[in-house]
Amino acid sequence: MNFSLSFYIGYRYWRSRKANAFASFITLFSVSGILLGVAALILVSSVMNGLESQLKQRILGAVPQLTVHSQTPIDNWSKQVDKLSQLTGVQGATPSISTQAMVQSPSNIGAAQVYGIYPEQEKALLNTTKRVYSGNFDALESGKYRIILGAELARKLDVAPGDKIRVLSGDGVVYSPLGPVPSQRKFTVAGVFEMGSQVDATLAYVHHDDAQRLMRQKAGEVKELRLYLDDPFNAAKIAPEVVAQFATPVTTTDWRDRYGHLFGAVKMEKNMMSLMLSLIIAVAAFNIVSALVMMVVDKTTDVAVLKTQGLTTANVMGIFMIQGSLNAVIGLISGVVVGTLLTLNLNTITQALGISILGAGQNLPVQLEVSQLTWIVVGTLVITLLATIYPAIRAAHVQPATALRYE
């Protein structure tokens, strides 16, 4: 196949004024469809990526991403923490303890997941420490019985820093003649954090030693280690490596147990939106088929003459595939440029138009990923290239004798 000849003729056909005005309109419509489809796909995918990334920061930055559980106290846990922190994909590890509890104030009562932590070890790892107002994690001192609440939970209890609340734990229950009695302690609210997500209504933090006393566990023992990961979505892959670091049997749990359904729904929504917007590109590709079929009919005589001069079937197919691909490439490049510019300036544009999607003062989360952009470009090229095959085959099957019989 003489590619240069096919490209030259295809380019000339593409540049020439179309005899059929309707074919020209369809061609313009197909290019515009690819432009809009690609631009919309880039924009929506970037917003969905930003939403997913924001959820990872606001939720998975506050809850245990991967937790190691041991039935017996972990020997020399500080050395074990150092070993785990050196694993690929692990940012760090800290001792942890948690319990489901009821928190009661003079005016209301609510449920919370209470985590016992060592504040000095969590500062560089726990995102919640950067979102505290009216207090800080340094106030969590052993024996002081202080607690830091999520903003929504604090509003529900109608408490502020300095107020006292009662924490009742289901762990450490003692049995009396009157029945089971939950372990309980009075805590002083030392601060309030706000992550801007549902964890604000369900999480609370206390000092690790105070949590052990609340749960009636032996002080100083560590049976859980909390791991922070570079990418929480890799928790399932890292878990076997973590287990292999222990000489005694341990088990692991990760964030998917409580929040997997939420991120699964976000992923499904992102995939469905991408599929729906990809259909715009597919429709535009069908318009390329229509325009090329009209072009083949219009150029039947020319094709017959070229075949009598020795042009091969592959050359003829190449002419029309190149012609259709040029339209697709123009639409694709334009769509990538428009979509990228809209994505990078989305919040500026919405503010200039006076549109507030998330509410006053809040910007849409946007994250443009090069890998995803590459897949969009490659996918569009493949779809449009496949769309040119049928018209090209029809052109290649033109019989010179039949086409030139009445010329």
Side-chain angles (χ1 to χ4, degrees):
M1 174 181 175
N2 190 340
F3 179 79
S4 60
L5 178 60
S6 297
F7 182 84
Y8 175 75
I9 298 174
Y11 178 70
R12 288 290 300 271
Y13 280 176
W14 176 75
R15 285 193 59 188
S16 63
R17 184 179 296 275
K18 309 295 188 297
N20 190 332
F22 186 62
S24 299
F25 172 76
I26 292 180
T27 300
L28 177 62
F29 190 78
S30 62
V31 172
S32 301
I34 293 174
L35 186 157
L36 292 175
V38 170
L41 189 54
I42 292 173
L43 180 61
V44 173
S45 298
S46 298
V47 172
M48 294 300 295
N49 290 338
L51 174 62
E52 186 177 65
S53 177
Q54 193 175 77
L55 284 176
K56 286 171 68 175
Q57 293 177 2
R58 294 185 174 183
I59 295 180
L60 302 187
V63 302
Q65 299 170 5
L66 181 63
T67 306
V68 180
H69 305 271
S70 175
Q71 293 295 327
T72 58
I74 299 174
D75 295 330
N76 199 356
W77 61 263
S78 59
K79 184 178 179 181
Q80 199 68 50
V81 163
D82 294 335
K83 287 175 60 179
L84 295 175
S85 300
Q86 295 174 4
L87 292 177
T88 302
V90 178
Q91 291 182 352
T94 60
S96 179
I97 187 172
S98 64
T99 180
Q100 291 185 344
M102 298 297 294
V103 286
Q104 183 181 19
S105 70
S107 58
N108 210 340
I109 188 171
Q113 186 75 22
V114 178
Y115 290 102
I117 63 172
Y118 288 108
E120 61 276 7
Q121 298 189 26
E122 300 283 348
K123 281 184 179 179
L125 299 171
L126 184 62
N127 285 349
T128 313
T129 60
K130 306 176 183 66
R131 300 293 187 93
V132 179
Y133 62 89
S134 300
N136 58 69
F137 273 75
D138 291 333
L140 300 182
E141 299 178 15
S142 177
K144 297 292 186 179
Y145 294 102
R146 293 170 180 166
I147 188 170
I148 293 180
L149 303 174
E152 189 61 33
L153 181 59
R155 281 191 286 268
K156 180 180 180 180
L157 298 175
D158 192 23
V159 293
D163 294 340
K164 292 186 179 296
I165 61 173
R166 185 177 297 276
V167 180
L168 299 91
S169 171
D171 297 291
V173 172
V174 294
Y175 293 89
S176 69
L178 299 178
V181 178
S183 176
Q184 55 181 300
R185 292 268 185 173
K186 276 192 174 182
F187 283 79
T188 302
V189 178
V192 178
F193 70 85
E194 186 166 19
M195 298 294 291
S197 65
Q198 64 192 70
V199 299
D200 292 339
T202 58
L203 292 190
Y205 295 93
V206 300
H207 194 278
H208 189 279
D209 296 343
D210 293 343
Q212 286 185 314
R213 296 187 187 99
L214 174 67
M215 298 167 63
R216 294 194 173 97
Q217 293 186 5
K218 186 176 180 180
E221 289 185 348
V222 174
K223 295 183 179 180
E224 291 184 9
L225 294 179
R226 173 174 178 165
L227 276 70
Y228 295 87
L229 310 179
D230 293 333
D231 186 357
F233 287 178
N234 292 332
K237 297 179 182 178
I238 296 176
E241 299 179 35
V242 172
V243 173
Q245 302 298 314
F246 291 84
T248 56
V250 296
T251 58
T252 61
T253 57
D254 58 57
W255 59 270
R256 294 175 301 168
D257 297 335
R258 295 192 63 186
Y259 299 99
H261 62 283
L262 173 62
F263 285 90
V266 172
K267 184 177 181 180
M268 182 182 67
E269 184 177 358
K270 183 168 70 172
N271 291 338
M272 291 304 298
M273 290 295 294
S274 298
L275 177 61
M276 291 172 60
L277 293 172
S278 297
L279 293 177
I280 298 176
I281 300 175
V283 170
F286 282 117
N287 289 329
I288 290 178
V289 175
S290 303
L292 280 181
V293 168
M294 292 182 181
M295 178 60 67
V296 169
V297 173
D298 187 49
K299 299 294 184 181
T300 298
T301 302
D302 294 355
V303 171
V305 171
L306 290 171
K307 294 190 74 171
T308 59
Q309 293 180 348
L311 205 65
T312 65
T313 299
N315 288 136
V316 175
M317 288 185 63
I319 290 172
F320 291 95
M321 290 180 70
I322 288 169
Q323 186 178 354
S325 297
L326 287 172
N327 292 329
V329 168
I330 290 175
L332 175 60
I333 293 175
S334 303
V336 169
V337 172
V338 172
T340 303
L341 290 176
L342 285 175
T343 299
L344 297 177
N345 299 280
L346 179 60
N347 289 305
T348 303
I349 294 172
T350 54
Q351 289 173 7
L353 296 175
I355 300 173
S356 181
I357 298 176
L358 297 181
Q362 296 191 46
N363 291 332
L364 279 170
V366 178
Q367 183 175 327
L368 182 62
E369 295 183 0
V370 176
S371 59
Q372 195 169 54
L373 186 62
T374 302
W375 277 110
I376 292 173
V377 171
V378 172
T380 302
L381 286 175
V382 170
I383 291 174
T384 52
L385 183 62
L386 291 175
T388 64
I389 293 177
Y390 171 71
I393 292 176
R394 283 201 55 180
H397 287 169
V398 169
Q399 299 297 325
T402 304
L404 299 174
R405 178 178 301 172
Y406 300 106
E407 296 295 330

